[in-house]
Amino acid sequence: MLRGVDLRVTRPRVAVLGAVHDLPHADTESIIGAVRRDLGDVSHQAVYDVLRALTTAGLVRRIQPSGTVARYEARVGDNHHHVICRSCGVIADVDCAVGEAPCLTASDHNGFAIDEAEVIYWGQCPTCAARRDAGTETVH
Amino acid sequence: MLRGVDLRVTRPRVAVLGAVHDLPHADTESIIGAVRRDLGDVSHQAVYDVLRALTTAGLVRRIQPSGTVARYEARVGDNHHHVICRSCGVIADVDCAVGEAPCLTASDHNGFAIDEAEVIYWGQCPTCAARRDAGTETVH
DNA sequence: GACAGATCTTGAATGATTCAAGAAGATGCG
DNA sequence: CGCATCTTCTTGAATCATTCAAGATCTGTC
């Protein structure tokens, strides 16, 4: 995969790419943890650099919902979206739902040339909704 | 407006609310600047507190696209969306475009109870697109 | 196998945002 | 109108994800 996008193959890159595949929607810290479990010591700077390189190359996608740290996922190229639980922060994928040529109509709003439509659904995950219904009120 | 949502009326709150109305999509720093031009010295902490109170009360909306600082707008309650220029970062409003009961179908993805759909369109604003066509290539 | 440039390590800096404690202000009541 | 009380603002410092910078190391190529 790395060679396919003209990136040099290094141990940190392979490990980061593996971690992003294994841990969907993981934040940088989790990825650093997984990489170190795999390789031993790796600097956090290296992981940041690698994540940027992979993102630029299009091998991973970076998402950063309001008020959270950056997260990464390996599912790219299909323009899917995300649901985020306001209570526990868990993220799930949502396939593009609206009609057929959805989300990214190559339309031209306000004269902008649009190349991506990013949709984030906010709500309650099943677990948190149940907990709240039960009265435990573990808000946030 | 403040009394309407049971918030005490203070000079900083009035000034911040005015600034958010005057400067759509302004970041915190811009708002602090506008407030100080209006009132003289006001602590940044006060502005942060006020913005949070106003956001919680629903008088302003906070947006924070990937990789940017928080921004605020006074247009609330109509579920509109945003287009952002990847080159210069300018933000414009986009009315809900998709069909009739758009964006927020009270549907139930993966068992989530969704209460908001946030859409961000990424692209090039007319100015940056023109500049790029002209070959000036002022990327970023 | 060695060179050149990319990538990693180390260590420090940045900057938006938040925390904490005390002073000042707003609202309600006498 | 003046006071008591709770909220809000000021001041000053801390947090923490992310980035910068300089030098050492490694990858891919000739």
Side-chain angles (χ1 to χ4, degrees):
Chain A
M1 294 179 77
L2 291 167
R3 291 188 217 281
V5 293
D6 282 320
L7 285 178
R8 292 191 173 182
V9 179
T10 66
R11 291 167 126 320
R13 285 183 175 174
V14 173
V16 168
L17 196 49
V20 176
H21 275 265
D22 292 344
L23 309 169
H25 312 131
D27 58 23
T28 310
E29 195 182 4
S30 305
I31 293 169
I32 292 173
V35 168
R36 288 188 175 154
R37 233 168 286 123
D38 193 5
L39 297 184
D41 275 357
V42 177
S43 69
H44 68 139
Q45 184 58 54
V47 175
Y48 274 99
D49 285 347
V50 170
L51 284 171
R52 177 181 304 194
L54 295 180
T55 303
T56 303
L59 288 186
V60 307
R61 178 173 163 196
R62 173 189 171 122
I63 59 178
Q64 187 178 21
S66 287
T68 76
V69 299
R71 292 166 176 279
Y72 296 87
E73 66 181 350
R75 187 177 160 192
V76 294
D78 65 347
N79 194 36
H80 70 280
H81 304 307
H82 298 104
V83 216
I84 306 178
C85 177
R86 288 192 197 274
S87 300
C88 68
V90 71
I91 301 179
D93 287 338
V94 178
D95 289 318
C96 221
V98 190
E100 305 192 355
C103 305
L104 180 51
T105 39
S107 62
D108 186 285
H109 297 291
N110 296 314
F112 278 66
I114 296 171
D115 60 58
E116 182 186 349
E118 178 182 8
V119 183
I120 297 180
Y121 298 95
W122 295 91
Q124 294 283 126
C125 71
T127 307
C128 289
R131 186 178 298 140
R132 182 165 296 186
D133 284 346
T136 317
E137 280 295 353
T138 312
V139 182
H140 262 57
Chain B
M1 294 180 76
L2 290 167
R3 289 189 218 281
V5 293
D6 281 320
L7 285 178
R8 292 191 174 181
V9 179
T10 66
R11 293 167 123 326
R13 283 182 175 174
V14 174
V16 168
L17 197 48
V20 176
H21 276 264
D22 291 344
L23 308 168
H25 313 128
D27 58 23
T28 310
E29 195 182 4
S30 305
I31 294 169
I32 292 174
V35 169
R36 289 189 175 154
R37 233 167 286 125
D38 193 6
L39 297 185
D41 274 358
V42 177
S43 67
H44 68 137
Q45 184 59 53
V47 176
Y48 273 99
D49 285 348
V50 170
L51 284 170
R52 178 181 305 194
L54 295 180
T55 303
T56 303
L59 290 186
V60 306
R61 177 173 164 198
R62 173 190 169 122
I63 59 177
Q64 188 179 19
S66 286
T68 76
V69 299
R71 292 166 175 279
Y72 296 87
E73 64 181 351
R75 187 177 159 192
V76 294
D78 65 347
N79 195 35
H80 71 280
H81 304 306
H82 298 103
V83 216
I84 306 177
C85 177
R86 288 191 197 274
S87 300
C88 68
V90 71
I91 301 180
D93 286 339
V94 178
D95 289 318
C96 222
V98 191
E100 306 194 353
C103 306
L104 182 50
T105 39
S107 63
D108 186 285
H109 296 292
N110 295 314
F112 278 67
I114 295 171
D115 60 57
E116 183 187 348
E118 178 184 7
V119 183
I120 297 179
Y121 297 95
W122 296 91
Q124 296 283 126
C125 72
T127 307
C128 288
R131 187 177 297 139
R132 181 164 299 187
D133 285 345
T136 317
E137 278 295 352
T138 312
V139 181
H140 260 54

